[in-house]
Amino acid sequence: MRGGKRPLGAVMAWVRRQPPKVKAFLAVVTGMAALVFIRFIVHDHDNLFVAAEAAHALGIAVLIYKLTKEKTCAGLSLKSQDLTALFLAVRLYCSFVMEYDIHTVLDTATLAATLFVIYMIRFKLRPTYMVDKDNFALYYVVVPCAVLALLIHPSTSHNIVNRISWAFCVYLEAVSVLPQLRLMQNTKIVEPFTAHYVFALGVARFLSCAHWVLQVLDTRGQLLTALGYGLWPSMVLLSEIVQTFILADFCYYYVKSLVGGQLVLRLPSGVV
């Protein structure tokens, strides 16, 4: 086991010593290599989207285990859970009125689990909630997402309210994890279950982003045309990329912590 960790540990140590520009370049190269690998092993790219939903569900399952077994919500952001419930609820509405499919079922289950987490934090485990650390102002993300949805939304034949709602949930999902990252930055120390949950979100975001990127490549850009005209198709793809990069830095420190055999993740300043 130790022999397997040493080479990876040496690589992580080398990466850590590199300047920010080199780290950014390595991250891009690694992401592109992962996309190429996924493209060859996954024939139906729609499975990536289902896998992303499954990774998100697994992350929430970890949270539920933490809340029910350890009887504490310390380290969890209620505001991130509220944002997650909001964009899932809006996306479910859009699914029912615009296109009902398997993702509607998955979103329903995910929303139910998220509401349970919110209930536990708000009522059952309120004394352990770090309200002073969970200080991210939600209007910083909700208002810009709403304004952006009004300005840039799908150009399909659906009702204008439905199209704006669709755009709003896409934009909000991209930034819904920011309150959780802020809370972790405030505490500097992240306990294992919370770290597992956020890493699962990072995996989900990468798989979802890979789904869209590969779909665009395979259709030679025709998928973007199918989504409509104007800035909306590009904004969908940009939102997926933003979600991935928001969590990329945390995932790096998570893997580094695992390689080092640490149970508790310590974040340096400037990660969020």
Side-chain angles (χ1 to χ4, degrees):
M1 189 71 177
R2 291 180 180 177
K5 286 186 176 181
R6 286 174 184 170
L8 186 56
V11 171
M12 297 294 290
W14 178 82
V15 171
R16 190 168 58 251
R17 293 193 300 268
Q18 303 310 305
K21 289 183 178 181
V22 175
K23 289 181 180 179
F25 173 75
L26 291 173
V28 172
V29 171
T30 302
M32 293 177 64
L35 284 176
V36 172
F37 177 73
I38 290 175
R39 187 172 188 178
F40 280 104
I41 66 172
V42 180
H43 300 292
D44 186 355
H45 297 152
D46 283 337
N47 292 335
L48 291 175
F49 202 84
V50 176
E53 295 282 351
H56 190 175
L58 181 61
I60 295 179
V62 170
L63 284 191
I64 292 176
Y65 180 86
K66 168 188 170 70
L67 296 174
T68 56
K69 297 299 181 181
E70 297 197 346
K71 305 298 182 182
T72 177
C73 62
L76 294 181
S77 169
L78 176 60
K79 294 183 177 181
S80 262
Q81 297 302 316
D82 287 340
L83 291 179
T84 300
L86 178 57
F87 84 71
L88 284 172
V90 175
R91 193 160 73 187
L92 268 177
Y93 162 77
C94 293
S95 294
F96 280 116
V97 299
M98 298 172 72
E99 184 181 17
Y100 187 92
D101 54 19
I102 182 61
H103 304 305
T104 306
V105 178
L106 295 174
D107 280 343
T108 300
T110 304
L111 176 59
T114 301
L115 291 176
F116 175 77
V117 171
I118 292 174
Y119 168 76
M120 292 294 289
I121 296 176
R122 283 190 183 277
F123 302 105
K124 292 294 185 179
L125 304 174
R126 185 75 184 187
T128 63
Y129 171 48
M130 297 178 172
V131 62
D132 57 322
K133 302 294 185 181
D134 194 14
N135 55 11
F136 190 95
L138 292 186
Y139 59 82
Y140 282 159
V141 292
V142 175
V143 173
C145 287
V147 172
L148 195 58
L150 287 171
L151 298 175
I152 305 175
H153 49 263
S155 55
T156 59
S157 59
H158 299 93
N159 182 281
I160 182 64
V161 174
N162 298 338
R163 287 185 279 141
I164 293 175
S165 298
W166 181 8
F168 176 70
C169 70
V170 168
Y171 300 144
L172 189 61
E173 182 182 12
V175 295
S176 60
V177 75
L178 288 179
Q180 180 63 60
L181 295 179
R182 170 65 68 83
L183 187 152
M184 294 189 302
Q185 185 65 68
N186 288 339
T187 59
K188 292 292 188 296
I189 296 178
V190 186
E191 56 83 34
F193 286 111
T194 303
H196 298 334
Y197 163 67
V198 178
F199 181 73
L201 291 184
V203 172
R205 296 284 67 81
F206 174 75
L207 292 173
S208 180
C209 183
H211 164 262
W212 282 104
V213 171
L214 293 178
Q215 288 282 69
V216 170
L217 292 176
D218 286 350
T219 60
R220 298 183 179 181
Q222 292 181 8
L223 177 64
L224 295 180
T225 304
L227 291 174
Y229 56 85
L231 293 175
W232 168 246
S234 300
M235 290 300 294
V236 173
L237 190 58
L238 180 61
S239 296
E240 293 290 340
I241 295 173
V242 166
Q243 294 179 68
T244 303
F245 275 92
I246 284 176
L247 286 162
D249 210 16
F250 172 85
C251 290
Y252 164 76
Y253 286 101
Y254 176 88
V255 174
K256 173 187 170 184
S257 177
L258 289 183
V259 171
Q262 301 175 12
L263 295 178
V264 177
L265 177 60
R266 289 176 172 81
L267 296 177
S269 300
V271 173
V272 182

